[in-house]
């Protein structure tokens, strides 16, 4: 990423990062920062995705979630294909400023491209040693992905 | 990471990863997977950290959160220094199995090494263009980190 593309200030010392008021997000070697999106009402984790500096800037300016798709290598306005936009109620940053949390009002029936409300629709049983089988926690789908995204 | 150190099965095709019952977590080039920990009662996001295969296996087997510290390059049982253990109520995996979500009962007053309940104690104001100033959302501290971790 060019310097110009990153409008955020350079990182200060640890104490400033943890206790200061300057927003100094840390982007990784690929120019990305992880972002957790939760449902502002239920608290449910909807998805974990990544933002680059441009996506983060657009999220701040517009109050809607923008991400960077690692698979498509492209800036991605959440809901641009599906209409399932995420209105950001609050954006938070963690202690070392290398992770973000957005509380969102999810528009449409769900956040996941598979048609579920949340991407986290399966649980991993605990207390087992060796191979584990996943357990579905969200039965059925909130929407038909073929109708929303087309038959890919 | 050696093959032996990763007890999880190899990744199948996309449909199996998204719709199947086999747990096939995807570790990145550094052998890590991102994990969001939320408070099982309040739904608040407490922290975002990373697990390697061994940390994930220990979390599954013990029902307590283990992570991998990227700064210390070491397996890390959450609470090993502070006593602030995380009892895992539920572990979930996302659609493409490259992110984890644990709902935890946080032992002790807080999850964050700065003494706060959550690592996400500051908000980023929305709707602004240009430099932004963070806003503290969790005033004061839940515990004194110097007393818990010693004066580092």
């Amino acid at each position: 990423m060019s310097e110009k593309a990153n409008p955020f200030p350079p990182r200060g010392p640890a104490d400033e990062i943890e206790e200061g008021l300057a927003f100094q997000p840390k982007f990784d070697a690929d120019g990305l920062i992880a972002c957790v999106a939760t449902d502002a009402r239920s608290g449910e984790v909807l998805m974990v995705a990544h933002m680059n500096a441009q996506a983060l800037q657009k999220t701040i300016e517009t109050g809607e979630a923008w991400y960077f798709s690692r698979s498509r290598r492209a800036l991605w306005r959440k809901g641009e294909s599906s209409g399932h936009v995420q209105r950001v109620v609050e954006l938070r940053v963690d202690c070392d400023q290398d992770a973000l949390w957005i509380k969102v009002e999810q528009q449409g029936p769900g956040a996941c491209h598979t048609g579920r409300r949340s991407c986290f629709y399966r649980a991993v049983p605990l207390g087992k040693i060796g191979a584990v089988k996943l357990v579905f926690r969200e039965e059925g789908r909130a929407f038909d992905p073929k109708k929303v995204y087309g038959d890919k």
Side-chain angles (χ1 to χ4, degrees), chain A residues 37-58:
Chain A
T38 62
D39 185 292
R41 278 178 296 263
S42 69
E44 184 179 33
V45 176
L46 296 174
M47 56 190 282
V48 171
H50 293 79
M51 293 181 180
N52 64 0
Q54 196 184 357
L56 176 54
Q57 194 178 24
K58 280 184 168 289

Side-chain angles (χ1 to χ4, degrees), chain A residues 60-73:
Chain A
I60 291 170
E61 287 177 8
T62 66
E64 291 187 347
W66 288 72
Y67 299 105
F68 184 84
S69 167
R70 292 182 296 177
S71 54
R72 290 184 284 116
R73 305 291 313 159

Side-chain angles (χ1 to χ4, degrees), chain A residues 10-103:
Chain A
R11 305 258 293 173
D15 190 57
E16 183 181 317
I17 290 168
E18 293 180 356
E19 302 298 334
L21 296 181
F23 185 38
Q24 301 174 340
K26 183 179 181 182
F27 298 95
D28 68 14
D30 294 322
L32 302 176
I33 186 168
C35 179
V36 182
T38 62
D39 185 292
R41 278 178 296 263
S42 69
E44 184 179 33
V45 176
L46 296 174
M47 56 190 282
V48 171
H50 293 79
M51 293 181 180
N52 64 0
Q54 196 184 357
L56 176 54
Q57 194 178 24
K58 280 184 168 289
T59 299
I60 291 170
E61 287 177 8
T62 66
E64 291 187 347
W66 288 72
Y67 299 105
F68 184 84
S69 167
R70 292 182 296 177
S71 54
R72 290 184 284 116
R73 305 291 313 159
L75 192 68
W76 157 42
R77 176 173 168 252
K78 174 65 183 167
E80 66 191 4
S81 305
S82 63
H84 302 165
V85 170
Q86 292 178 336
R87 195 167 307 151
V88 181
V89 175
E90 189 170 43
L91 167 60
R92 294 217 190 169
V93 64
D94 76 346
C95 46
D96 47 9
Q97 301 205 30
D98 68 355
L100 302 169
W101 168 22
I102 51 176
K103 300 181 193 177

